[in-house]
């Protein structure tokens, strides 16, 4: 019985500055699973907010209100198309994350161009509304702080250049705006950095949890196999046999899937063990077990150490002739090991086995215990008939 392979351990960096390259695909899947809905929602909220500001423009800059409405409708329509195409068909989580900042950059530039065409006296006060652009740019970041920072700097450059252009003769007004704007910029960037950092931390923690769960599962499988494996022969032990026999019987009752049981006993093993010693006896058991496993390797068979020098084999065979042929092949293969056994009472001087076989649908078999008992009687009969053989099919 082969031990399960240990899961490949992927090194997980404790640093949250970047995701290791080998984990990047998993991180993208994590973002799509946990952040996609949020990114869609904040893009839609931003589009609705940007469109609603047309009402404010109608009050503050009425001379360009119609142009404002047209501009906002066009930009929002383009934005909604981008949102649909990217989140419906796109796979790039970086582009999903940067869609709102890029839209914000375009909308910022368009809005200030609108202000430059207005003659409203309220423009020096209205420009403070542009702070909303930098807040929107950074509030939605979940993947790339670097991308959000680059867009923030670009938006800030557009805003500050436009403020200076709109107040060419009033440097104090531009300075006051800058003093208000910079704290908002720094705070929104801090929120952006914290959000992207938290997503990376959550992902890396999830990777650690999954890795530990995989290791625990593998360890449990190893322990289960150890508990079900005979340490000497490396085949199933008596506990595993009882469990597998019960499962096979359940399958028989549920689906009518018949099976066979073979009980194998090494002939005169006590005499072999007494003469050659326990170490040679252990080696003999190992060789016999290995021979049977290799003989049955291509069939649906499981081999167990039933007790002492006895082995049990469960086989997915329902034909008596095929079962007899397989059992005789086992006898021949063990004989071909040519293990000397000169102190056995009969004339043979090599190690042999005797085999009792029974089918789950044999007459009188009504339970797993009946099957074992019938097989055990046939094994005893095979030994009575001279050993090194399979009990006759008609027995």
């Amino acid at each position: 019985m082969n031990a399960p392979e240990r899961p490949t351990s992927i090194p997980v960096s404790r640093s949250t500055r970047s995701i290791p390259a080998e984990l990047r695909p998993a991180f993208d899947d994590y973002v799509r699973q946990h952040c996609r809905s949020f990114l869609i929602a904040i893009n839609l909220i931003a589009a609705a907010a940007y469109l609603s500001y047309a009402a404010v423009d109608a009050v503050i800059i009425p001379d360009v209100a119609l142009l404002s409405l047209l501009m906002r409708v066009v930009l929002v329509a383009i934005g909604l198309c981008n949102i649909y195409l990217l989140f419906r068909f796109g796979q790039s989580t970086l582009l999903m994350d940067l869609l709102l900042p890029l839209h914000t950059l375009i909308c910022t530039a368009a809005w200030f161009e609108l202000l430059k065409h207005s003659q409203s006296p309220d423009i020096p006060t209205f420009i403070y509304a542009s702070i909303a652009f930098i807040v929107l740019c950074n509030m939605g970041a979940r993947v790339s702080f670097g991308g959000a920072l680059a867009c923030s700097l670009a938006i800030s450059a557009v805003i500050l250049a436009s403020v200076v252009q709109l107040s060419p003769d009033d440097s104090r007004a531009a300075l006051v705006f800058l003093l208000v704007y910079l704290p908002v910029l720094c705070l929104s960037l801090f929120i952006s950095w914290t959000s992207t950092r938290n997503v990376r931390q959550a992902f890396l923690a999830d990777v650690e949890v999954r890795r530990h769960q995989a290791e625990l599962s593998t360890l449990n499988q190893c322990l289960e196999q150890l508990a079900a494996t005979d340490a000497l022969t490396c085949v199933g032990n008596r506990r595993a046999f009882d469990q597998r026999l019960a499962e096979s019987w359940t399958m028989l009752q549920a689906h009518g899937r018949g099976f066979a049981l073979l009980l194998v006993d090494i002939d005169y093993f006590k005499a072999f063990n007494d003469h050659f010693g326990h170490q040679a006896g252990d080696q003999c058991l190992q060789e016999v077990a290995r021979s049977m496993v290799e003989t049955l390797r291509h069939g649906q068979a499981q081999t167990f150490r039933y007790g002492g020098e006895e082995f049990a084999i469960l086989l997915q065979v329902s034909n008596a002739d095929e079962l007899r042929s397989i059992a005789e092949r086992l006898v021949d293969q063990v004989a071909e090991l040519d293990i000397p056994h000169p102190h056995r009472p009969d004339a043979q001087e090599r190690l042999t086995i005797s085999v009792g076989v029974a089918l789950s649908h044999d007459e009188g078999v009504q339970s797993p215990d009946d099957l074992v008992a019938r097989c055990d009687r046939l094994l005893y009969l095979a030994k009575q008939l001279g050993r090194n053989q399979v009990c006759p099919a008609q027995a």
Side-chain angles (χ1 to χ4, degrees):
M1 301 176 72
N2 297 326
E5 295 182 359
R6 292 179 60 84
T8 302
S9 179
I10 299 177
V12 177
S13 171
R14 291 291 180 183
S15 170
T16 57
R17 294 179 61 188
S18 62
I19 299 297
E22 61 271 22
L23 290 178
R24 193 72 207 186
F27 177 67
D28 289 341
D29 290 339
Y30 179 87
V31 170
R32 281 190 286 269
Q33 180 180 355
H34 293 88
C35 302
R36 184 175 178 273
S37 297
F38 169 82
L39 292 174
I40 292 175
I42 199 165
N43 272 275
L44 294 176
I45 291 171
Y50 186 70
L51 184 60
S52 69
Y53 256 71
V56 181
D57 287 347
V59 176
I60 306 299
I61 47 175
D63 55 336
V64 291
L66 188 58
L67 183 60
S68 167
L69 179 60
L70 179 62
M71 177 196 72
R72 291 177 186 275
V73 168
V74 170
L75 290 179
V76 167
I78 295 174
L80 291 176
C81 287
N82 290 338
I83 293 170
Y84 173 76
L85 292 174
L86 179 60
F87 287 95
R88 179 66 176 84
F89 303 105
Q91 295 296 319
S92 173
T93 56
L94 178 61
L95 189 54
M96 292 178 185
D97 195 54
L98 295 181
L99 184 62
L100 179 57
L102 291 173
H103 280 167
T104 304
L105 174 59
I106 295 171
C107 291
T108 303
W111 189 68
F112 273 103
E113 281 300 315
L114 187 70
L115 292 185
K116 294 172 186 177
H117 289 81
S118 175
Q119 301 301 319
S120 172
D122 296 322
I123 287 179
T125 302
F126 198 29
I127 60 176
Y128 283 89
S130 63
I131 291 175
F133 289 121
I134 200 66
V135 173
L136 279 175
C137 171
N138 290 310
M139 290 295 289
R142 287 297 181 270
V143 176
S144 173
F145 173 70
L149 176 61
C151 290
S152 294
L153 295 178
I155 292 171
S156 298
V158 171
I159 291 176
L160 296 177
S162 298
V163 168
V164 171
Q165 189 176 354
L166 290 169
S167 307
D169 301 323
D170 192 354
S171 58
R172 293 183 61 186
L175 179 61
V176 171
F177 177 85
L178 181 64
L179 292 176
V180 174
Y181 180 80
L182 285 178
V184 176
L185 172 64
C186 293
L187 178 60
S188 64
L189 283 173
F190 174 74
I191 293 174
S192 174
W193 175 77
T194 302
S195 298
T196 54
R197 178 176 179 269
N198 287 343
V199 170
R200 289 194 295 271
Q201 283 183 325
F203 166 70
L204 294 175
D206 184 67
V207 170
E208 280 290 297
V209 169
R210 291 176 183 274
R211 184 174 65 83
H212 286 308
Q213 289 176 339
E215 289 180 349
L216 182 60
S217 176
T218 301
L219 179 60
N220 287 336
Q221 291 179 35
C222 289
L223 291 175
E224 288 177 3
Q225 284 207 351
L226 286 174
T229 302
D230 178 65
L232 177 63
T233 60
C234 297
V235 298
N237 58 18
R238 177 64 180 270
R239 173 178 174 272
F241 168 74
D242 291 339
Q243 180 178 351
R244 185 57 187 161
L245 177 61
E247 292 173 356
S248 297
W249 191 263
T250 299
M251 292 294 292
L252 170 67
Q253 292 181 314
H255 305 288
R257 187 180 301 172
F259 65 98
L261 172 64
L262 297 82
L263 286 182
V264 178
D265 185 78
I266 299 178
D267 297 327
Y268 298 114
F269 181 75
K270 185 178 184 305
F272 182 95
N273 211 35
D274 290 343
H275 178 75
F276 292 105
H278 292 292
Q279 188 172 3
D282 289 347
Q283 185 177 355
C284 170
L285 289 171
Q286 291 171 338
E287 291 188 32
V288 170
R290 188 181 306 114
S291 173
M292 291 191 297
V293 169
E294 290 178 354
T295 301
L296 299 168
R297 177 172 295 173
H298 301 295
Q300 293 180 314
Q302 290 180 295
T303 304
F304 308 87
R305 188 177 179 190
Y306 191 68
E309 70 274 19
E310 279 191 287
F311 295 88
I313 298 171
L314 289 172
L315 188 62
Q316 292 298 319
V317 170
S318 57
N319 180 274
D321 292 335
E322 183 181 0
L323 176 60
R324 175 74 180 272
S325 175
I326 292 172
E328 289 177 346
R329 190 162 70 247
L330 289 176
V331 172
D332 293 340
Q333 290 296 323
V334 171
E336 288 179 8
L337 292 175
D338 202 24
I339 299 174
H341 191 350
H343 294 276
R344 56 187 292 166
D346 55 12
Q348 303 184 57
E349 295 188 352
R350 61 179 178 177
L351 192 81
T352 60
I353 60 173
S354 297
V355 183
V357 299
L359 291 166
S360 57
H361 58 263
D362 280 350
E363 185 178 353
V365 175
Q366 302 296 324
S367 68
D369 290 341
D370 291 340
L371 181 65
V372 173
R374 175 171 173 78
C375 204
D376 192 52
R377 287 194 300 271
L378 294 174
L379 172 61
Y380 177 77
L381 184 56
K383 299 174 78 67
Q384 291 294 105
L385 293 172
R387 292 179 169 81
N388 188 29
Q389 61 181 284
V390 181
C391 183
Q394 67 271 21

